Amino acid sequence: MTHGPASPVRERAAGSGEALPGLLRILPDRDLGAVPALVVLFLIWVVFGIVNPAFLSAENLVNLTLQSAPTGMIALGVVIVLLVGQIDLSVGSVSGLAAAVVGVTTGLHDWPVGVGILLALAVGVLVGLGYGFCATRLGLPSLVLTLAGLLVLAGVQLRVLGPQGSINLPFESRLVWFAQQGFLPPLVAWALVVLTVAAVAASQWVRRSRRVRAGLPSISLAQFAGRTAALAALLSATVAYLGTARGIGYPVVLFVSLVALVDVALRRTRWGRSVRAVGGDRRSALLAGVAVRRTTVSCFIACSTLAALGGVLAAGRLAAANQGTGGAETYLTAIAAAVIGGTSLFGGRGSAWSALVGVLVITSISSGLTLLDLDTASRYIVTGLVLALALAADTHLRAGPDRPDLASGIRGRGGRPWW
């Protein structure tokens, strides 16, 4: 199977002789990103809205966004580590251990909340650093390495929680208030809408101007105005509708802000280009002078740290840390959200926004089936079917020399394991 004609950007990069931009040639031309997941999300909302109108009520959507934030935070880390061609199966255990650390330090020993959160995040950093060292220096496959880490960290979580197995956080804790009762004041929410639309429009305008001066294809003024108007309408409708209930929670603002920050880092920084280059073809990236080991270690650290932050938010939302926090369902849901959102399991393709879209799909399925009074088994079956469809789409969109051989579990090029 052959690839389609290369874009002018790819041709220019190929002819420039620059090492890193030249790696763009190995990235797939057909990347629909999160568009399929957005279509699925739209259909889910339409179907559940017709079957049970309570699904689309402002109060239910507020709850849905609050439920999405902790898992979405973990899924964002999974997206980063998948982009570099690795995987982390222990994100659930990392989040559970971080929740236990916060619970013990603030609930039992009355440490300041900020100190407990920083200690929990430090645990995530150390775990990611250990994974990165073992994967890059010792050559251990991340699939088995993080599976072992899942068991070890789950045991450490039980040790930290102690014989009681559950620690309640005081409701007057700032963490609990932030996760449960903290909502943007209406004026602040509308100010953020204006600032976001202005920032995105300015960024698009600068990018368009640079492409016009360079003689590259760019969006027309009508397209620029249409995209800006669509973004403004979407954000305004969201703020106005959710504002009829409790509004937009602080955890949701934190999650979306981190998604936007990671998105900018992946698209506009040398680190982000290195991540995609390593995930697209590790050997070519190494020959091009990319710091493969350093990039891989940084992705493991980012993944574990975000998992720890997700665990902290989960503890605040539940006002407790227990043995079930960060259980097996957590890492499965986070990985499923990343893949359903459009991140490739084979590295090099995806975006930070896929974590947001993917977790909204999974949480919407869970919320809709709960409103229909269906059991957990039905939720697992439906989520599994959606994940299978996302994986099938990823496999066929990846068609080409790098298309993975699912029957043998190896890549087409070089026959190397993909984890």
Side-chain angles (χ1 to χ4, degrees), residues 69-94:
T71 307
M73 205 78 73
I74 302 173
L76 180 60
V78 173
V79 167
I80 295 175
V81 83
L82 283 178
L83 280 175
V84 82
Q86 303 288 340
I87 194 168
D88 187 347
L89 298 180
S90 69
V91 286
S93 294
V94 174

Side-chain angles (χ1 to χ4, degrees), residues 82-397:
L82 283 178
L83 280 175
V84 82
Q86 303 288 340
I87 194 168
D88 187 347
L89 298 180
S90 69
V91 286
S93 294
V94 174
S95 68
L97 177 57
V101 169
V102 170
V104 169
T105 55
T106 63
L108 288 184
H109 300 294
D110 294 328
W111 288 16
V113 174
V115 176
I117 293 175
L118 288 177
L119 188 58
L121 296 181
V123 169
V125 172
L126 288 177
V127 171
L129 188 61
Y131 286 156
F133 176 82
C134 293
T136 59
R137 297 292 178 178
L138 305 181
L140 301 182
S142 59
L143 179 67
V144 181
L145 173 64
T146 56
L147 181 60
L150 180 154
L151 298 173
V152 171
L153 296 174
V156 175
Q157 177 187 355
L158 296 182
R159 291 287 187 187
V160 172
L161 288 173
Q164 63 271 30
S166 178
I167 299 173
N168 294 325
L169 298 179
F171 280 99
E172 60 271 17
S173 167
R174 291 185 178 180
L175 176 60
V176 176
W177 177 85
F178 179 86
Q180 293 185 357
Q181 306 172 26
F183 290 89
L184 282 178
L187 286 179
V188 176
W190 284 109
L192 282 179
V193 169
V194 173
L195 290 176
T196 301
V197 173
V200 172
S203 174
Q204 292 290 322
W205 182 260
V206 170
R207 183 182 180 188
R208 178 183 180 279
S209 300
R210 287 177 177 173
R211 294 183 66 86
V212 169
R213 286 197 298 270
L216 297 173
S218 62
I219 61 174
S220 64
L221 286 176
Q223 289 174 316
F224 169 77
R227 292 182 182 183
T228 304
L231 177 63
L234 176 64
L235 295 180
S236 299
T238 301
V239 170
Y241 189 60
L242 296 184
T244 60
R246 286 172 290 170
I248 300 176
Y250 285 139
V252 180
V253 176
L254 176 61
F255 172 45
V256 175
S257 300
L258 284 176
V259 168
L261 183 64
V262 172
D263 177 64
V264 171
L266 289 174
R267 291 188 299 107
R268 300 299 176 88
T269 67
R270 184 178 182 84
W271 174 79
R273 291 189 289 270
S274 298
V275 169
R276 294 183 182 279
V278 174
D281 192 315
R282 179 178 295 268
R283 178 172 299 178
S284 297
L286 185 62
L287 294 175
V290 175
V292 174
R293 288 179 174 174
R294 191 189 313 161
T295 302
T296 304
V297 171
S298 68
C299 290
F300 274 114
I301 292 176
C303 179
S304 295
T305 305
L306 287 169
L309 182 57
V312 171
L313 288 180
R317 177 165 171 73
L318 298 175
N322 54 50
Q323 297 176 350
T325 307
E329 186 180 346
T330 303
Y331 83 85
L332 292 175
T333 303
I335 295 174
V339 176
I340 289 173
T343 301
S344 174
L345 278 169
F346 311 109
R349 185 162 57 82
S351 76
W353 295 103
S354 61
L356 174 62
V357 178
V359 79
L360 284 178
V361 169
I362 290 182
T363 310
S364 298
I365 292 173
S366 176
S367 175
L369 295 180
T370 301
L371 288 176
L372 294 178
D373 201 22
L374 296 180
D375 56 12
T376 304
S378 302
R379 180 164 56 87
Y380 285 162
I381 292 172
V382 174
T383 305
L385 291 175
V386 174
L387 176 60
L389 290 175
L391 181 59
D394 173 38
T395 302
H396 288 282
L397 288 173

